[in-house]
Amino acid sequence: MELNDEQIHRYSRHIILPEVGGKGQKRLLSARVIMVGAGGLGCPVGYYLAAAGVGTLGVIDNDTIELSNLQRQIAHSTERVGMHKADSAKKTFEALNPDVNVIAIKERISKDNILDLIKDYDIVVDGSDNFPTRYLVNDACVLSGKPLVSGAILRFEGQVTTILPGEGHCYRCLFEEPPPPGLVPSCQEAGVLGALPGVIGGLQAMEVLKLILGKGEPLKNRLLIYDALKASFRKVKIPKNPKCPVCGDDPTIRELHDYEAEYCQMRF
Amino acid sequence: MEEIKPDKTINIKGLVCPYTFVKSKLAIEDMEVGEVLEIVLDYPEASRSIPKSMEDHGHKVLKVEKVNDTDWVIVIRKERD
Ligand SMILES: [Zn+2]
């Protein structure tokens, strides 16, 4: 693949970085990334990956846009209320950068389809808003050996971690099981201040770009926690747990299952 | 001083920064370590910035010369991938 004149202009700020160059840009253009969710986190992640020229972006989301999403979900717009988020994301990202092919996947992920959905991609990004999905995505990535960049947000706090199966920790190394529904904030408590997903999604996008380029240190065995009110970041070590039920030495989870608990889906 | 034979020559006359450097960098990326790139340009600022940036990227600047009223020739040896 050769960069054309338009691409040389578009990506010139990448090309002049010693760590990227034309070679790195070509890696970005041939990379395939799949995102779970086109909501608060998925919007900024996809926006930045599209701008950077990540060539193929899968976007899985079965929801439609609601007015209450627009306080933080910046890839959508008022006139698109009612449209599928995956279609809206495709429109926005491809308008920003026609080099990018966005594949809108309007499905609800489950144990039955997730392995098939992620199998043709290099990296998985989790921007989902609930524990059952987070654990399902974690297990699917560990079982299929896919790098996973996971993000989560609530109120004024967010966290990011990069899971490299076989090399580092996974989500279950820290918490073996999803918390019981009663401990998860109810819908009334699950507020998010608008720019928070931008911070966390931006960090996730950066982790993805670093993985594609093979530069820097991924957030492996680390959880990066951002406290917006204190304007502080802290990094917590998460050692790989040899007793982890999915990535440990003697795993008990060898196939996927869904958690159909009574979780608030935070649909607002 | 003996004349250095370039392995590749690019003419980037008419280009301004940062594309002068972008084109030069793309050219040198495609070469082997030890090979020599000759750049012909007419943007005065780039006659200073390209040698500096190439050195920052670890390459060796062999020559910077104003060859006529408008043009410069810069010769770089690729030192690393
Ligand atoms: Zn684990």
Side-chain angles (χ1 to χ4, degrees):
Chain A
M1 186 216 319
E2 282 306 312
L3 299 173
N4 62 37
D5 275 348
E6 197 179 307
Q7 290 172 324
I8 290 171
H9 273 72
R10 180 183 288 271
Y11 306 116
S12 54
R13 295 280 170 162
H14 278 165
I15 294 168
I16 60 182
L17 287 170
E19 293 79 0
V20 185
K23 281 178 189 157
Q25 189 58 54
K26 289 176 202 170
R27 287 176 84 150
L28 293 172
L29 285 163
S30 42
R32 302 174 57 89
V33 175
I34 187 159
M35 311 190 317
V36 179
L41 293 171
C43 285
V45 173
Y47 234 136
Y48 274 114
L49 296 183
V54 172
T56 305
L57 281 179
V59 178
I60 311 173
D61 203 312
N62 194 38
D63 284 346
T64 54
I65 300 163
E66 294 176 31
L67 197 55
S68 60
N69 299 148
L70 299 178
Q71 151 265 18
R72 65 196 181 285
Q73 300 187 13
I74 57 171
H76 312 310
S77 63
T78 310
E79 60 175 21
R80 292 188 195 161
V81 167
M83 187 192 269
H84 265 102
K85 290 183 183 177
D87 289 333
S88 167
K90 177 179 168 69
K91 242 182 160 162
T92 301
F93 301 158
E94 289 182 348
L96 173 61
N97 187 353
D99 284 344
V100 179
N101 178 27
V102 179
I103 298 158
I105 304 160
K106 289 167 272 182
E107 287 183 46
R108 189 152 207 95
I109 61 162
S110 72
K111 68 177 173 47
D112 299 316
N113 65 4
I114 184 165
L115 290 173
D116 203 45
L117 287 172
I118 66 176
K119 76 172 188 305
D120 294 328
Y121 291 86
D122 309 316
I123 298 171
V124 180
V125 177
D126 186 10
S128 67
D129 58 5
N130 63 83
F131 284 101
T133 306
R134 195 165 312 150
Y135 278 77
L136 178 64
V137 174
N138 176 77
D139 295 352
C141 288
V142 170
L143 292 178
S144 55
K146 299 269 180 201
L148 165 64
V149 178
S150 185
I153 45 169
L154 187 65
R155 299 192 201 110
F156 301 99
E157 199 173 276
Q159 40 179 262
V160 190
T161 189
T162 297
I163 291 165
L164 302 176
E167 282 184 48
H169 78 296
C170 85
Y171 220 84
R172 283 190 197 270
C173 288
L174 183 60
F175 303 111
E176 287 195 9
E177 296 292 324
L183 288 182
V184 176
S186 69
C187 276
Q188 289 80 2
E189 296 167 320
V192 171
L193 190 62
L196 179 63
V199 176
I200 301 301
L203 290 166
Q204 285 181 279
M206 192 55 109
E207 286 294 294
V208 172
L209 297 180
K210 281 161 54 189
L211 286 178
I212 296 170
L213 295 168
K215 297 293 173 188
E217 291 166 26
L219 274 169
K220 180 178 73 172
N221 297 332
R222 298 281 188 282
L223 183 68
L224 181 64
I225 299 169
Y226 171 61
D227 181 332
L229 292 180
K230 290 186 181 144
S232 74
F233 284 95
R234 66 180 199 276
K235 241 195 255 185
V236 179
K237 279 190 190 170
I238 307 178
K240 184 165 161 45
N241 177 3
K243 293 198 177 104
C244 173
V246 66
C247 81
D249 297 335
D250 187 18
T252 51
I253 298 170
R254 291 163 189 276
E255 57 183 39
L256 297 175
H257 41 126
D258 292 322
Y259 293 88
E260 295 296 347
E262 303 278 308
Y263 286 98
C264 167
Q265 292 298 313
M266 298 189 203
R267 292 172 165 276
F268 57 91
Chain B
M1 192 177 144
E2 72 178 293
E3 201 50 35
I4 314 139
K5 274 221 189 76
D7 297 283
K8 190 198 271 187
T9 297
I10 57 169
N11 183 334
I12 54 170
K13 287 167 70 169
L15 288 185
V16 300
C17 289
Y19 305 110
T20 45
F21 180 60
V22 169
K23 286 277 192 186
S24 306
K25 180 158 193 276
L26 288 171
I28 212 161
E29 271 186 28
D30 283 337
M31 298 169 65
E32 302 294 328
V33 171
E35 288 188 330
V36 172
L37 172 68
E38 181 183 63
I39 306 160
V40 182
L41 65 143
D42 61 5
Y43 187 63
E45 162 66 23
S47 70
R48 290 182 297 273
S49 62
I50 288 183
K52 188 184 176 307
S53 301
M54 284 295 180
E55 276 176 350
D56 289 346
H57 281 60
H59 304 305
K60 176 96 180 145
V61 179
L62 301 178
K63 187 168 94 175
V64 181
E65 191 182 327
K66 188 145 202 266
V67 291
N68 58 41
D69 281 353
T70 54
D71 301 351
W72 279 264
V73 168
I74 297 174
V75 179
I76 311 281
R77 188 171 64 221
K78 178 164 176 168
E79 298 286 327
R80 42 176 282 195
D81 256 320

